[in-house]
């Protein structure tokens, strides 16, 4: 299956892998960028950098430079000041196709059938598109997002970064009524971790993209080692792509998922109703497990395929 998708991202080391994976697994109609791991001008430049490095002819549209209501927040500890710290930064000559990602999302969904929206950053662009053009909700094939968690968060004890960064946008997306919403939360993405052996394999492969990604992974893993004493780092965003292209690698559970927008301790928490026999109405297919070995092999082969 070669699904048509719009990849909405905030590159971001794992977003970079999601771009490379999506370009091989999908028909990527557009990449849209959002403020998240880094400010918008950097996440946009980073998306263009990855497209240029990998020779991808995919239009990149810049989107929201801030969340709907809360102040913009970034993740320099995980991704560095540029959002893609680690490797020497090449000159980026590609330019964004537009500064109106929301218009791109709306027009693309209205002109193509069965488009998947695959957001792997804060959900600001997706929420704005749904608010401006509610008709797109019934047109899309589904939303496959990286965000939230069944259990512990990362940016706070209760919230995952993408949802926490714009909880009001997330509340709109989870409440959109889309026929399919797949959620790859931290409970899932922490099952898919890249370790030093992947970096060794990429360096052995050599070539521009594998070497660049090895440098990215070196930086990304060092951060997890320093902060959490881990010897491997979760590949969050590729999970949202694989949930569309390789659903057989996952197990999902239909759940009601709501988003806390106000709580002092719980802002950005995805509240997943796990009560046995609950009368809740599911709005989301929550991913609970992944065949990590198969997924890692696919990710490694994909990155190496760019030579
Ligand atoms: O919490 C993980 C998410 O936050 C990932 O999408 C990562 O890229 C960051 O945006
Ligand atoms: Ca991301």
């Amino acid at each position: 299956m070669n699904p048509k998708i719009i990849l909405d991202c905030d590159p971001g080391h794992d977003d970079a892998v999601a771009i490379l994976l999506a370009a091989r697994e999908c028909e990527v109609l557009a990449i849209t960028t959002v403020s998240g791991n880094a400010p918008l001008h950097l996440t946009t430049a980073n998306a263009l950098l990855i497209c240029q490095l990998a020779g991808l002819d995919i239009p990149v549209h810049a989107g929201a430079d801030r969340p709907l209501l809360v102040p913009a927040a970034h993740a320099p500890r995980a991704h560095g000041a540029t959002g893609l710290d680690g490797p020497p930064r090449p000159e980026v000559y590609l330019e964004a196709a537009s500064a109106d990602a929301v218009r791109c999302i709306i027009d693309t969904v209205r002109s193509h059938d069965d488009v998947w929206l695959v957001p792997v950053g804060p959900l600001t662009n997706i929420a704005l598109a749904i608010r401006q053009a509610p008709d797109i909700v019934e047109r899309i094939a589904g939303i496959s997002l990286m965000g939230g968690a069944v259990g512990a968060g990362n940016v706070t004890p209760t919230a995952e970064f993408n949802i926490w960064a714009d909880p009001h946008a997330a509340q709109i997306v989870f409440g959109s009524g889309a026929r399919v919403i797949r959620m790859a939360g931290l409970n899932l993405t922490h099952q898919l971790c890249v370790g030093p052996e992947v970096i060794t394999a990429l360096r052995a492969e050599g070539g521009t993209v594998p070497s660049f990604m090895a440098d990215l992974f070196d930086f990304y893993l060092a951060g997890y080692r320093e902060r959490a004493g881990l010897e491997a780092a979760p590949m969050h965003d590729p999970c949202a792509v694989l949930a569309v292209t390789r659903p057989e690698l996952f197990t999902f559970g239909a759940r009601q998922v709501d988003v806390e927008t106000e709580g002092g301790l719980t802002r950005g928490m995805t509240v997943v109703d796990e009560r046995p026999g609950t009368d809740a109405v599911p709005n989301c297919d929550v991913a609970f497990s992944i065949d990590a070995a198969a997924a890692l092999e696919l990710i490694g082969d994909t990155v190496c395929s760019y030579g």
Side-chain angles (χ1 to χ4, degrees), residues 9-12 14-15 37 79 120-122 146 162 237:
C9 57
D10 60 334
D14 54 327
D15 304 69
N37 284 323
H79 300 279
V120 295
M146 190 280 137
N162 288 341
D237 295 344

Side-chain angles (χ1 to χ4, degrees), residues 134-155:
D135 59 288
I136 67 173
V137 172
E138 62 184 12
R139 285 193 52 79
I140 58 175
I143 300 170
S144 180
L145 64 91
M146 190 280 137
V150 181
N154 54 9
V155 69

Side-chain angles (χ1 to χ4, degrees), residues 103-126:
R103 175 50 47 199
C104 165
I105 293 167
I106 294 169
D107 291 350
T108 302
V109 171
R110 284 177 172 165
S111 55
H112 294 79
D113 293 332
D114 301 323
V115 174
W116 279 89
L117 302 182
V118 183
V120 295
L123 292 163
T124 317
N125 290 336
I126 309 300

